[in-house]
Every structure is written in structure tokens, then in C-alpha cells.
Amino acid sequence: MTTSARFSEQMQAYGRWKENLSQGIDRYQQWLTHNEMADSEDEMRISEILSSLRSEKLTIAFVAEFARGKTELINAIFFSEFDRRLLPSEAGRTTMCPTELLYDSESNSSYIRLLPIETRLQEKSIADYKRDPIQWSSIALDVEDSSGMEEAFKEIVKTKKVTIAEARALGLFQDEDIQFHSRDGVLPDTIDIPVWRHAIISFPHPLLKQGLVILDTPGLNAVGTEPELTVNMLPNAQSVLFVMAADTGVTKSDLDMWNLNVKPLRANHQKGLIVVLNKIDSLWDDLKAEENIRATIDEQCHKASEMLGIDRENVIPVSAQKGLLAKIRHNQETLDRSNILTLEAILANDIIPNQQQLVNQHIKGAIGAMIRESHALITSRLKAAKQQLVDLGGLSGKNRGVIEHLMKTTREEQVAYHKSVEEFNANKKLLSDQSKKLLALLDLAKLDLLVGATREEMSGSWTTGGLKKGMKTFFGGIEEKFEELQEYTEQLNRLVTTLYHKFNAEHDVPDLEPVLFTIDSYSAEMKKLSSDADEFRNSPVTTMTEQSFVVKKFFISLVSHARNLFYKAHRDAEGWRKAVLSPLVKHITERKTEMDQRLENLRKVSESQETIEERINEIKSEAQLLKREYDEITAIFKLIHS
Ligand SMILES: Nc1nc2c(ncn2[C@@H]2O[C@H](COP(=O)(O)OP(=O)(O)OP(=O)(O)O)[C@@H](O)[C@H]2O)c(=O)[nH]1
Ligand SMILES: [Mg+2]
């Protein structure tokens, strides 16, 4: 194995692991249907788990000043087999809008979708627009035709001329930019702005098909003008690559970008942050000894690490350009020298195992309890069948009187059972009523009221000062909601626990434990959002530019994020409410069937003693079938947990 395949091999192996897991879940779904054990809630839950597993994404984001070689690195690491520079990379500013490369397995098609820059005038986040395909321009891609693809990709670097006033209205020109745009001290009438605000490229590359998403961002404060990157896309990426270049060294703007946008992203954990010193080939010199060159590169990495305040080992020197070229020309020596493979290995070992572990935990958490429950049910069916065989064996030779007596006691048992079921149903109703309060608190319409109030308070003061006040109101309101939520959740959990314990005692099933509801993960996510938001608000980018535009955009992306969180929490609470008592309901149904069967056995035997043998044989073959189902669910259990 050459190391060149390492990232892609690990990614493929990860893809196979996910595929096996989803086959296991598929098998479980079939098992449930076959055993008539799935209610519609279960089915929905399993479909959701499956689709979340199949659409699971692993995002690597590239962030840096312009012309550091982000796009060239992407070409070199991921797309060299196209034997060309697939994504446009040129001197000066190239990538004009954040670009996501992925494979859209839902639509199963290749395309470029582009969101017009004018959408910045609207009060909607990019995440909102993603749910609204009409706003996007779409270009179909022919993947067989690499030069056609290369041509189509040029769309993402398009710019157009607009007046300064228009650029201002779009939030793409501030007073600080006057100097940057002036020529000989004179500001031109028009400036170039990107045609597109965001691009999504879907094509069936093997890595993208496994769920890899690459986020390429443009340099030049794009991260500042589109706060959604900071609030949403970059924090959610599994890995962020920060790129500097050896030919420029660490400049002030590199440092600004690092301090404002990258370092805070990983303030709490360094995981998934990779720093690259690109263009080391600019230090290659045929007239110098290899050792000296290596020392110079090492010296540069050392300097860079000191300026960024990170360890020396964390700066990876590479040459994207030579790496790409060497891969295309199959030149191993240059490839080694470009050090691209080291970077690939770090990517592979740093992020894939980590992601696999997270996905594994999530899936087991979501489905593990269900499978255990199914396992317990089939075990109890098997036990019941065995008991019936014992009972029937004991009946042979018994006279009519004995059998009638047994029928009578079984009927009495049934009546008692129905009574406790009625009581159970009353409690179930109580729980359902109580959980409505919880759901009401998570209602999006209620959240929108808070958003409205905050917006009103801020209107006319879209400054960082106004934002500070607004955020206080907004997150203060949310915190209150979470306190109330916590209280209701505890109440509900207490009720559920009591119900289970009562049930366990009455029905002699000590091993049933409820799955309790918790809002901890949402509350943690909300806290993180609040601290990320604080970080951004306090960052010089926003204070420096007292511009209503960025502040407004920032507020919109905050709200969109929070709404999404509430939506998820509401959906999960609703799912929990419907499912929490389902093990008990299933147990009741099981017991009912079992009693019905016992009665049926007795009825048959009371008609004629000859039927006993027949019935025993019937149950024996039923038990055999049950044993097969038992073996299957045991195998599924092992598969999911392996
Ligand atoms: N010598 C050398 N040049 C490189 C290397 N990597 C990239 N370049 C060149 O640097 C220029 C900028 O590269 P890009 O990949 O477009 O940079 P970027 O960071 O994506 O820039 P923006 O898209 O504008 O934000 C291009 O001309 C590349 O060919 C490298 O390793 N060595
Ligand atoms: Mg680029």
C-alpha cells in the first residue's frame, strides 16, 4: 500500500463500515416486520436512523487569506485523478464564494447550484435557502467530460461590476475598504463583487459518495462578511485546515484571520484543527544543499508556530502545486518532497476514526435499546411456548372437571389483567397530557415571539452595541425557557419512572427500565452557540466595522441556528413521548396473546383429549420457528455492537 491512498482508503473503509451498519439495521427492520413487532413509531424511528446514517457527512473546511493555495490543496489531496487542476486556482483572488463539494445521494445527480449574491438583501440565512431550491441557479455536470467540468467550475469564480452604492447595500463595501479599492488615491465608480454568494457542487467522486464534504472558502474577509460561516458552517466541520504560504511568510492579515476566525473556533478543543505551511517549493533551490533547504523550511514552520501560538509539530509544510503535479505525472520523488502524503495521513488519522466513534455512539444510543427490547420479547415468547408445552403435558389424562377449573382461573386472570391495563391506560393519558406542556415550550411559534421581541428591541440599532443588548434578551429568554424545560423534564421522568416501577412490580417484569428524556445536549449546544456568538461579537471584525449589515446577517444566522435546535428538540421530545411507554404496551400485548393461547389450548383439550398430542406438536414447531428468530436477533445484536 502506498501512503498516497491512505486518506481515500480510510474513507472507503469508513464507508464500508457504515454500509455494514445500515445493512444490520435493515435486517433488524425486516426482522421486526416478519415478527409483527413493529408499530408505526418504531418504523419511523428506524427509517430516520437509517437516513441519518446514510446522509451522514464528514466536512473538511479550508480557511485562509486569499492566494495561500486552499483550492490548489483541495485539487492535490482529493481530485488529482482527474489529471488536471479541477477547481480554478490562480494568482490573486480566485474563489469568490464559499463552495461545498459533496455528493447529493438523494437526487443522485451531478450539478453546480449557485445562490445569487443579491440574496444577501433578504433576511434569510444560507441554511434557509438550502431548503428552498428555487432560489438557486443550477448547472448540470457531465462527469465523463473533465474539461467540461473544469469549464463549469469557472462559474464559481465569476465577478461582476457594481456601483459602490450597490456594493454597500449588499454589505460588500465599508469605509475601511476605500483604501483597498482606490487607485492612485481615487476610488473608482464601480468595483468587482462575486456573482454568487454560495456554491454547492455535487458529483459522484468516490470520497464524496462516502459522505465527505469539502468546504472551500474565499480569502479576503469572506468569513467576516458571511457570519454564517463562523456561527454555523465552520464550527460544524469535523476538520478545519488553516493555510499559510512560505512565499509570503505569516502576514498581518494571516494573523488577523487566525486570531479572529480560526483560533476561537477550536477554543475548547484543538481536535480537527490542522495548520499548513504551503508553497514550500518556493524555498527549493537546486543550488543549495538539501539539508539547508530542509533547515530553512523547518525554521519557517517554527516561526509560524510561534506567531500563531501553537506547537511546532502542528505546522505541516507542504507544496500543493508540486504535489498535484507529481500525482498527475506519477513522480514519486517529487510527491514525497511535496509532503502532501503526510498531510493526507494526518487528515485520515485525525478525523476519520473520531467521526466513526461518534457515529457509532449515536447509532447504538438510538437503536441499541430497541434491539435489546426485541431480544427480551422473543425470549419471553420462547419461554411462554416452553411453559405451554409443560402445561399441556400435565393436562393429558386429566378429567373434564380439572380442565374446566383451569379455564375458569385463566379467565379470572384475564379479567384482573384487563383491570390493570385500564389503570395503565389512564396513566398513559396522564403522561401524554403532561408532555404536551413540554412540547409547547419547544414550539417554534413561541420561539419566534422571542425573536420578534429581540428584533424590535434592536431595530434601528444594528450596531455591535445594539447586538449586545439584543443577544442578552435573546439568550436570556432562551435560558429561561430551558430552566422551565428542565423542570418539566424532571417531572415527566419522575412520572415515567414511577409508572415503570409500578408496572414491573404488578406484572413481575423487573428488568424493564424507561429511557428518560434529557435536554442536556440541546442546552449544551445552545450554550456553545451563545459563547460562539459572544466570541464573534467581541471580535475586532465586528467592533471595527460598526456596520449594520454584518450585525444583521449575524443575527439572522444565530436565529436560524437556534430555530433549528428547537425544531430538533421538539421532534425528539415528540418521538420520546410516543415511544417511552411502548415497551410496556408491547409487554401487555404479549401477555394478552399468551393468555388467549392458554385458553385456546384448554378449550381444545376440553373438546377431546386426542388434540393434546396435536397441539404439542404444533407448539413444538412454533417454538422451533421462534428459536430461529431468536438466533437472528442475537446475530443482529452482535452485528450492531461489533
Ligand atoms: N509555488 C506554489 N504555488 C502555489 C502552491 N499552491 C498554490 N499555488 C499558487 O498560488 C496561487 C493561489 O492558489 P489558490 O489555490 O487559488 O489559492 P486560494 O487560497 O484558494 O485563494 P482564493 O481562492 O483567492 O482565496 C495559484 O496561482 C496557485 O497556483 C504551491 O504549493 N506552490
Ligand atoms: Mg481558492
Side-chain angles (χ1 to χ4, degrees), residues 65-72 74 87-90 92-97 157 216-219:
E65 250 308 348
F66 71 103
R68 297 299 181 262
K70 298 177 290 286
T71 308
E72 190 81 329
I74 294 171
L87 296 170
S89 144
E90 273 161 43
R93 288 175 73 187
T94 313
T95 312
M96 293 307 281
C97 65
V157 305
D216 189 11
T217 62

Side-chain angles (χ1 to χ4, degrees), residues 109-144:
S109 57
S110 305
Y111 56 73
I112 303 183
R113 280 193 190 142
L114 299 145
L115 186 65
I117 194 81
E118 286 72 25
T119 55
R120 283 176 65 89
L121 297 170
Q122 306 303 318
E123 298 218 337
K124 251 167 120 177
S125 68
I126 296 173
D128 293 335
Y129 279 116
K130 281 186 184 167
R131 282 174 231 121
D132 184 10
I134 318 171
Q135 303 290 334
W136 301 71
S137 288
S138 191
I139 304 171
L141 279 182
D142 175 6
V143 291
E144 300 300 322

Side-chain angles (χ1 to χ4, degrees), residues 519-530:
I519 55 160
D520 291 354
S521 65
Y522 314 111
S523 133
E525 222 179 303
M526 208 42 116
K527 284 209 179 91
K528 186 163 177 308
L529 181 62
S530 164

Side-chain angles (χ1 to χ4, degrees), residues 194-263:
V195 173
W196 308 109
R197 181 182 181 190
H198 196 86
I200 298 174
I201 302 178
S202 162
F203 72 102
H205 184 277
L207 294 177
L208 303 181
K209 279 175 101 170
Q210 307 294 356
L212 180 70
V213 177
I214 294 163
L215 175 61
D216 189 11
T217 62
L220 207 73
N221 198 24
V223 181
T225 46
E226 194 71 88
E228 203 167 344
L229 278 171
T230 324
V231 182
N232 221 329
M233 293 184 221
L234 296 178
N236 287 336
Q238 277 74 16
S239 185
V240 174
L241 257 87
F242 180 69
V243 188
M244 295 169 297
D247 60 346
T248 48
V250 184
T251 66
K252 183 178 174 304
S253 61
D254 284 323
L255 263 185
D256 283 349
M257 189 128 191
W258 167 259
N259 285 324
L260 304 181
N261 301 311
V262 185
K263 207 169 76 181

Side-chain angles (χ1 to χ4, degrees), residues 397-506:
K398 290 272 163 28
N399 66 29
R400 230 188 151 74
V402 174
I403 288 170
E404 262 160 24
H405 177 71
L406 279 174
M407 282 171 91
K408 191 164 159 261
T409 51
T410 308
R411 280 203 195 96
E412 277 165 11
E413 225 179 285
Q414 261 182 339
V415 171
Y417 200 71
H418 282 151
K419 242 203 190 123
S420 78
V421 168
E422 264 165 37
E423 200 181 315
F424 172 76
N425 283 336
N427 282 327
K428 200 172 151 211
K429 170 104 186 14
L430 183 70
L431 182 76
S432 176
D433 291 344
Q434 296 269 28
S435 43
K436 279 194 189 123
K437 289 189 202 156
L438 182 83
L439 289 172
L441 269 177
L442 288 169
D443 192 2
L444 279 185
K446 289 259 177 62
L447 180 68
D448 287 344
L449 286 181
L450 178 63
V451 173
T454 311
R455 189 183 281 278
E456 196 144 307
E457 191 185 289
M458 286 177 66
S459 68
S461 69
W462 291 104
T463 59
T464 42
L467 183 63
K468 187 172 181 180
K469 237 174 82 197
M471 272 176 55
K472 210 165 160 207
T473 311
F474 184 62
F475 284 110
I478 285 185
E479 205 168 303
E480 258 173 47
K481 268 183 197 293
F482 270 86
E483 273 163 24
E484 256 186 286
L485 274 171
Q486 186 63 30
E487 207 172 292
Y488 281 136
T489 305
E490 279 166 17
Q491 272 180 25
L492 276 173
N493 282 340
R494 271 198 300 274
L495 182 62
V496 167
T497 311
T498 315
L499 257 168
Y500 262 76
H501 287 169
K502 199 161 168 297
F503 190 92
N504 287 348
E506 275 175 18

